[in-house]
Amino acid sequence: MSKTTAPVQRRTKLSCSEIWKLYGPNADRPAASRDEVESRAANGRCFAALSDVSLDIGEGEIFVVMGLSGSGKSTLLRCLAQLVEPTFGNVELDGRSLTRMGQAELREVRRHDMGMVFQHFGLLPHLTVAGNVALPLKIRGEKAESRDHAVATALELTGLAAMADRLPAQLSGGQQQRVGLARALAVGPGLLFLDEPFSALDPLIRRELQDELIRLQAGLHKTMVFVTHDFSEAVRVGDRVAIMKDGRLRQVGTPEDIVRQPADDYVRNFVAGVDLTRVIRCATAARPASRSDYAHAVSGQGRLSDAAETLMAAGGGPIAVQGEDGSLIGEIDLHAVLAAVSGKSLAGEPA
Amino acid sequence: MTRFRPRAIWLLLPAAVAALWIAQQFSWATRFPKAWELPVAKTVSKSAAVVTDNLSWLTRLFATAIEVPMTLVVALLSEGGALTLGGFALDLPPLSWSGLALAVVWLGWRTGGPGLALLQALGCAYLLFFGQWSAAMLTLASVVIAVPFALGAGVVLGIVAWRMPRLDRWLVTPVLDLMQTVPAFAYLVPTLVLFGFGPVSALIATVIFALPPMARVTTLALSRLPGAITDLAAMMGCTRGQALWRVLLPAAMPMLLVGLNQTVMMTLNMVIIASMIGAGGLGFDVLLALRQLDIGRGLEAGAAIVVLAIMLDRQGRVLASGWSRGQAVSRRRGLGLVLVLGALLGTTLLGQIHAPLRAFPESWQVTTGSTMDSLVAWLNVNFFDTIEAVRVFLLMNLMNPIRIALASAPWLGVMTIVAMLGWVLGGWRLAVLGLGVGGFCLVTGLWDETMTTIYLCLTAAILSVSLGVPLGIAGHRWPRFGKLLTLAVELLQTMPSFVYLIPVVMLLRVGDVSAMIAIVAFAVTPVIRYTMAAFEAVPPALTEAGTVMGCTSGQMLRHVQLPVALPTILLGINQCFLFSLAMVVITALVGTRDLGQKVYIALTKADVGSGLVAGLCLGLVGILVDRLFRAAAARIAPQEPSSHA
């Protein structure tokens, strides 16, 4: 798990500014100005699925949009993917405006730089696993040899190589979603949209695929927009998480930011339900080192839960917390862990 | 949403009473004055004549274009013959029966295993040994030609309707509705006038008849695709064409194949009916036998139709379900295919030398015609009194009262009741539709015939419901009986409507009772099916709740199952009524005096105007009944809490 505490300065891959999406009478008509869209949203006949959403999503980051049903999270994803045209606002990919792009140009972008994974997989029942993965390549007119190569690579990556000739109906749900993932990866896109990709799966399979996604991402460094209604999934897979309610962003930040400093009671409610030892990293909980030599050490990147065994072996600590290069960041002991989890005081800073 | 309007009922009663009172005071309100009728039929005939006169080059061109593939298929499957193409004459032998039968059985084996192969073998054997092969192949040839046309046109129309919802709503759906409710007979008249008596006009009528369900299924299948599939097409960067052909249509294929099977069956049904304008084949044999009252031959040809229908249906279903499981297309089938085609070609060529391979030897054929004749004669001698008693009972106690009530009802009263009913059930739109339909029947001078038609349908519906609902309930309660029932219903539905007439006429002679029994046999199937389905669909939680409350099975039926199942059963009754309307027309052959008879007479006289107008009357009545039932079902349905979120 290659995650860093401090947000890395990333180049912006996908961004949206002041996105509005209205539903209702005349809602298909795009608004010319911000004033217009606001007054239309306020007059009560339209329903605003998205109100004034602005985001910058960095290259190579898994950006999770979390919200309950009706929060507008799927609408946001669909606006970003241009499956739905926002009533107002701009979406940019690599500095090019998707919203102002013509159909043909958008098609080219989608053929080369976008992939999407669906909640209910969206596999074509008559095509084999390999056929499904090959489909987007066929659509963009790829030659047979390079197509076969790309399909084989994608299947290898998702652990499906042995199942290439099966039909979707012969696969389990988890395997079907692996096919969905392989298909999205096959065109080698820089940007992936994942619309509740694991929500239709059993809890155990869901965890397995979450781990798989994190593992894949460590090697691929794709930019991903990941929509979920499951807060623990959000903080598990996300580099950053946006929490939505009623079409607005309530909080955007790293999982640790959110669990440590929930912006409001709404967010706090979600935080109450997660196991904080699986979110907070050792480096975050560490206090300044009190000596120079420790018998045990853990990685600062690891979560508190990962340090549990070492802490037990050390009789409760203190043990060293090391940076990626092996340098000493600080120390933790049981007290520090409890303090971090209870949120009372963290390494000298008041909560 | 729309609440029941109890006050409307209080309006209904006085309005009806007032209408009746007026009808008693003024004779014009009882019988629609002749002077008020409009010459709709004549006008239609005249304009049709103009079209025929001016467009004969087009119809002739069209006919020629269809005739070439038609001749080819007919020659190959049935009679052999010469195909002339601009000077060249190609002499074609018919494909050998042995090779064809082998191919049919092989296909059954490969796709459906030994069971289907056995069925197909038995089917072929029946057709061969009873001397029906040649006629059956002629019928099959018409089906083979008509299906691709109906399919292609249906799919294209379906796609257009799906792409343009507004066009669909205002034009395509209403037209398709009308096409499906206007009886098949009515199509025959204009095609007869435009294209003349013969296989080509039969084919065109068949295509028109079989097209609507395919168009419907296509639109439905496309619009029911999961959102992920349409999103997928967009996100892969598909062009519109790519999205349609590479993603959407393949994904919709299982449902489209069900539609295809339906199209094949409808085509067969219509090919049989179209024998009246020269389609030939099995339908013609039945028609001839019916006219000559040749019982044995009629039954044998009728049975051949059933056999052919079952063979086509089973094979079609297996292919459809096999495709969606991805098994129909396998790569290792090449060798078998080559062998079978080789056998087909070989036997055909050998048949040129060795006659028994070309045509099934007559000495091998059997006929049960005389046995059948004597069986029917025996039945008539020994059971005449019983049969007659049933016939008279039905006539005196059920049919005649309804007929007299409807025939003597003043038109003004009927119109008032229809309009009020429409208003109560579905608001002013439905009331206007009711008035429009009634008005059309009045001004075209077809009121009496319409009333006779409604009398037949109403009686048939009453009988079907009182027969079908208990049967359906029994089928649900005793699953083993239910299975048998399902099998019987499927068999009944596979049979082309024409076939129903044969046994009835044999036993009961021509007349309203025969017609009635044939209609009920045809129209009872949806009642049974919908009732069973409705009871299956009652949520187990509800019946469990009933059990826990201590319901007896009677109480369960009355308080739990029937109320929940009622909307669906109502739709079944609706279907029953529409089935009856379709069948009424065909029973014109056994001498009823309804709209169907009008169409039939128009057909024999090639009178486009009266044929179309009478057909339209039937179609409009069908649509009105359909809308009324749907409105009623929708009114009942929302009262239960929706468990399907």
Side-chain angles (χ1 to χ4, degrees), chain B residues 555-643:
Chain B
Q555 286 172 322
M556 180 82 86
L557 192 68
R558 221 180 52 171
H559 297 292
V560 180
Q561 291 169 315
L562 262 183
V564 177
L566 201 57
T568 313
I569 296 179
L570 212 54
L571 289 181
I573 299 175
N574 179 20
Q575 285 288 312
C576 163
F577 218 98
L578 295 181
F579 272 47
S580 309
L581 270 178
M583 192 65 188
V584 156
V585 191
I586 296 182
T587 56
L589 284 179
V590 294
T592 52
R593 285 181 305 275
D594 56 3
L595 286 171
Q597 193 64 30
K598 279 274 172 194
V599 182
Y600 186 53
I601 292 170
L603 185 60
T604 49
K605 289 191 200 155
D607 179 353
V608 188
S610 14
L612 265 186
V613 167
L616 263 179
C617 269
L618 273 164
L620 289 172
V621 169
I623 287 180
L624 177 63
V625 169
D626 179 64
R627 296 298 184 271
L628 284 174
F629 266 105
R630 275 173 202 279
R635 198 163 279 296
I636 298 175
Q639 292 178 352
E640 54 172 324
S642 63
S643 53

Side-chain angles (χ1 to χ4, degrees), chain B residues 452-467:
Chain B
T452 312
T453 308
I454 290 175
Y455 133 70
L456 280 172
C457 287
L458 192 65
T459 323
I462 291 172
L463 281 175
S464 300
V465 169
S466 47
L467 217 80

Side-chain angles (χ1 to χ4, degrees), chain B residues 116-364:
Chain B
L116 186 60
L118 183 69
L119 181 82
Q120 303 293 46
L122 286 177
C124 287
Y126 175 84
L127 296 178
L128 284 166
F129 282 106
F130 281 80
Q132 306 289 339
W133 183 262
S134 173
M137 286 305 119
L138 196 59
T139 299
L140 185 64
S142 307
V143 173
V144 166
I145 287 291
V147 164
F149 283 105
L151 195 65
V155 169
V156 168
L157 191 63
I159 292 171
V160 170
W162 170 73
R163 275 258 166 84
M164 298 177 226
R166 204 166 290 176
L167 184 77
D168 180 31
R169 184 146 177 239
W170 293 109
L171 189 67
V172 179
T173 301
V175 169
L176 289 185
D177 273 352
L178 207 60
M179 279 171 82
Q180 275 189 306
T181 41
V182 168
F185 265 31
Y187 291 141
L188 298 182
V189 190
T191 42
L192 186 66
V193 170
L194 283 175
F195 298 98
F197 186 90
V200 171
S201 39
L203 179 80
I204 291 169
T206 305
V207 169
I208 296 175
F209 179 70
L211 183 146
M214 196 63 220
R216 286 247 156 107
V217 166
T218 308
T219 313
L220 197 68
L222 285 173
S223 52
R224 278 214 187 148
L225 282 177
I229 297 287
T230 35
D231 286 352
L232 171 73
M235 288 307 290
M236 285 193 302
C238 289
T239 60
R240 271 160 69 118
Q242 280 177 325
L244 193 61
W245 295 106
R246 307 290 287 266
V247 181
L248 302 179
L249 282 179
M253 196 53 92
M255 211 167 152
L256 293 182
L257 284 173
V258 173
L260 169 61
N261 199 28
Q262 215 181 338
T263 307
V264 172
M265 299 317 289
M266 300 218 25
T267 308
L268 180 63
N269 192 356
M270 186 64 189
V271 164
I272 304 293
I273 294 172
S275 57
M276 289 186 178
I277 55 169
L282 291 171
F284 183 71
D285 292 356
V286 173
L287 190 66
L288 211 62
L290 268 182
R291 282 190 186 140
Q292 300 170 347
L293 280 183
D294 183 345
I295 300 162
R297 250 196 36 217
L299 275 182
E300 277 181 15
I305 295 176
V306 177
V307 165
L308 189 64
I310 293 176
M311 288 170 73
L312 277 173
D313 182 53
R314 295 295 136 170
Q315 184 65 66
R317 281 182 197 216
V318 165
L319 282 177
S321 65
W323 194 93
S324 46
R325 288 198 309 271
Q327 286 162 358
V329 219
S330 158
R331 286 139 217 164
R332 284 176 302 155
R333 250 161 237 177
L335 184 66
L337 188 64
V338 169
L339 280 179
V340 165
L341 285 181
L344 186 56
L345 208 66
T347 48
T348 304
L349 290 177
L350 279 177
Q352 300 298 304
I353 312 160
H354 189 58
L357 276 177
R358 181 188 169 115
F360 195 74
E362 238 167 84
S363 55
W364 295 1

Side-chain angles (χ1 to χ4, degrees), chain A residues 65 71-79 84 195-196 227 244:
Chain A
V65 182
S71 62
K73 59 184 190 303
S74 282
T75 309
L76 176 59
L77 178 112
R78 300 166 81 72
C79 279
V84 165
D195 186 7
E196 304 227 21
V227 165
M244 289 194 73

Side-chain angles (χ1 to χ4, degrees), chain A residues 78 81 83 107 110-111 114-116 118 120-128 135-136 138-141 165 167 183 193, chain B residues 227-240 242-243 246-248 250-251 253-254 323-327 331:
Chain A
R78 300 166 81 72
L83 285 170
R107 202 151 55 220
R110 282 175 167 162
R111 286 178 176 193
M114 281 189 197
M116 185 155 171
F118 303 92
H120 295 290
F121 323 133
L123 301 180
L124 295 183
H126 65 291
L127 294 178
T128 60
L135 187 64
K138 278 189 186 165
I139 294 293
R140 80 173 178 201
D165 292 327
L167 289 166
R183 179 176 62 191
F193 292 104
Chain B
I229 297 287
T230 35
D231 286 352
L232 171 73
M235 288 307 290
M236 285 193 302
C238 289
T239 60
R240 271 160 69 118
Q242 280 177 325
R246 307 290 287 266
V247 181
L248 302 179
M253 196 53 92
W323 194 93
S324 46
R325 288 198 309 271
Q327 286 162 358
R331 286 139 217 164

Side-chain angles (χ1 to χ4, degrees), chain A residues 1 3-7 10 61-66 214 228 230-243 251-263 267 270-272 274-281 284 303 340 346:
Chain A
M1 303 189 189
K3 291 190 184 168
T4 49
T5 328
R10 303 174 194 262
E61 121 175 283
I62 300 186
F63 188 90
V64 177
V65 182
M66 186 267 154
I214 294 166
T228 181
D230 179 353
F231 185 73
S232 44
E233 181 171 76
V235 293
R236 209 171 133 73
V237 303
D239 291 314
R240 278 197 302 152
V241 176
I243 294 175
Q251 188 172 6
V252 182
T254 64
E256 290 185 277
D257 288 344
I258 288 175
V259 300
R260 285 167 53 205
Q261 284 149 355
V267 180
F270 287 114
V271 174
V274 293
D275 177 0
L276 296 182
T277 62
R278 294 189 187 278
V279 179
I280 298 171
R281 290 162 204 281
T284 315
R303 320 276 172 136
L346 277 167

